[in-house]
Amino acid sequence: MAKLRAGVIGVGHLGQHHARLYASLPDSRLVGVVDHDHGRASLIGSQYGARAFDDLPDLLKHVDVVSVAVPTSAHYSVTKACLEAGKHVLVEKPIAMLPTEAQELVESAKMNKCTLQVGHSERFNPIMQMMRPHIQRPVLFEGRRMGVYSERGTDVDVVLDLMIHDLDLVLSCNPGPVQEVRAAGLSVRSSTSDVADAYIQFESGCVASLTASRVSLKAMRHMHLFQPNGYVSIDFQSRLGVIGRRSVEPGRKPTVVVEEVQAGDDEPLRLQLESFLQAIRSQSCPVVSGEDGTAALEVAHRVLSSITAFGQRNT
């Protein structure tokens, strides 16, 4: 079976790794890259045996699939152009700036019979994949996602930059429709919120308490899920998981039996791209569909609206 011809749009910090992986995966062949900085595109292209194209329309004539790794503000316009050209697209998170834009992209993918996957790579973290079978009926989620400040990513609020990872993870556990969102956030170094706390209650009774910061002294990516039969704790950085199982013996107080698991060092982005290519080959729904990306974005905007209301009350 012929390899899928791949292109990467935007070869900055993240896009360069998409290019590296497409060039190495057995099911794809990196054909070309494009970037607003043509010198950068030439450098990455030559490094992985691909052509640096002058513009997007020219690239699209030569590829079957693309990764969109441009700034978030351009996700909608670039992804739309690719889908309308009949190309399968993996767009980095968030899928777009606005939910209405995301919904348009989902419809465009359907209309043009293209696979649309959203780059919520934490779903492909080996520790998340190992712990998924142990996640059954969570009723309480606690997420803490902290990062050291960097100019990269500050074109959007910390909710769209970092918290959206955890929003997607929570929604992937099927807690049901959102009932209420309360949130607070503050700008510290950028022009938008750099730290945010969100409390999300679902109609099912589930509750998610999420914190995101990009002005912390050290990085942290933790999530704890509590369910009737115990809990699951995940450290996405160290890839260490803890499973706590509630044990009840007649005549004794309940105890918790704890098991630790350590995931391997597989690269989440590689697993994500392999899954994307497989979804195209099998014409199946991708693990993180356009609908999934839209759902996470819609909740993110409810968090942003609550942060705006918080700011108005405190000025």
Side-chain angles (χ1 to χ4, degrees):
M1 190 176 294
K3 293 186 176 186
L4 291 166
R5 300 171 301 163
V8 179
I9 306 163
V11 285
H13 175 78
L14 190 55
Q16 64 179 327
H17 295 297
H18 283 256
R20 169 178 59 83
L21 290 166
Y22 278 131
S24 66
L25 291 173
D27 204 24
S28 63
R29 175 169 63 91
L30 182 66
V31 170
V33 300
V34 66
D35 195 280
H36 69 89
D37 181 345
H38 190 71
R40 172 71 177 177
S42 297
L43 174 66
I44 299 300
S46 62
Q47 190 171 350
Y48 299 113
R51 175 181 165 188
F53 286 85
D54 292 327
D55 55 41
L56 178 58
D58 197 16
L59 170 69
L60 294 179
K61 296 174 186 175
H62 297 85
V63 299
D64 306 305
V65 307
V66 295
S67 280
V68 175
V70 298
T72 302
S73 58
H75 280 191
Y76 168 71
S77 60
V78 172
T79 301
K80 184 179 180 182
C82 295
L83 293 172
E84 290 178 346
K87 310 304 174 184
H88 305 289
V89 180
L90 190 155
V91 56
E92 274 301 335
K93 59 80 193 169
I95 183 174
M97 287 289 289
L98 301 172
T100 53
E101 294 175 339
Q103 290 159 5
E104 279 189 44
L105 295 178
V106 169
E107 290 306 314
S108 181
K110 290 178 182 176
M111 185 180 305
N112 293 287
K113 295 181 172 57
C114 296
T115 298
L116 174 61
Q117 181 165 322
V118 185
H120 286 286
S121 59
E122 208 72 284
R123 293 253 210 128
F124 297 90
N125 190 312
I127 188 58
M128 187 63 194
Q129 294 188 324
M130 285 186 70
M131 301 299 277
R132 180 72 71 176
H134 304 286
I135 299 172
Q136 296 166 357
R137 293 184 295 118
V139 294
L140 175 61
F141 300 83
E142 292 182 355
R144 300 292 179 266
R145 188 168 295 266
M146 314 293 190
V148 178
Y149 186 78
S150 167
E151 290 293 333
R152 187 175 64 85
T154 55
D155 58 319
V156 294
D157 188 285
V158 71
V159 175
L160 296 184
D161 181 24
L162 296 182
M163 187 182 285
I164 199 163
H165 280 295
D166 293 320
L167 291 172
D168 173 68
L169 290 172
V170 169
L171 293 179
S172 75
C173 295
N174 301 313
V178 173
Q179 183 177 64
E180 180 186 11
V181 175
R182 298 201 302 271
L186 290 172
S187 169
V188 178
R189 295 190 60 178
S190 71
S191 59
T192 58
S193 292
D194 295 311
V195 59
D197 280 300
Y199 174 91
I200 304 164
Q201 183 160 348
F202 297 86
E203 292 179 7
S204 63
C206 292
V207 170
S209 175
L210 306 177
T211 299
S213 169
R214 56 188 180 198
V215 287
S216 298
L217 295 178
K218 63 179 182 178
M220 175 190 298
R221 290 150 54 201
H222 291 170
M223 180 169 281
H224 308 288
L225 305 89
F226 299 88
Q227 45 201 21
N229 63 344
Y231 66 87
V232 171
S233 179
I234 304 171
D235 184 330
F236 294 97
Q237 281 184 290
S238 68
R239 301 187 179 181
L240 178 67
V242 176
I243 305 162
R245 299 183 178 88
R246 188 170 183 267
S247 176
V248 182
E249 295 183 14
R252 296 191 177 187
K253 293 182 178 181
T255 60
V256 176
V257 179
V258 175
E259 176 188 357
E260 289 190 355
V261 295
Q262 179 68 60
D265 57 1
D266 288 341
E267 186 176 2
L269 183 56
R270 174 182 288 273
L271 298 175
Q272 178 179 253
L273 291 180
E274 288 175 340
S275 177
F276 173 51
L277 296 173
Q278 177 58 32
I280 295 168
R281 290 289 196 199
S282 62
Q283 298 183 352
S284 58
C285 182
V287 172
V288 187
S289 66
E291 288 86 349
D292 292 336
T294 301
L297 185 63
E298 287 173 344
V299 179
H301 272 268
R302 292 185 65 170
V303 172
L304 290 172
S305 295
S306 186
I307 289 174
T308 299
F310 168 82
Q312 292 170 345
R313 291 194 302 269
N314 290 276
T315 55

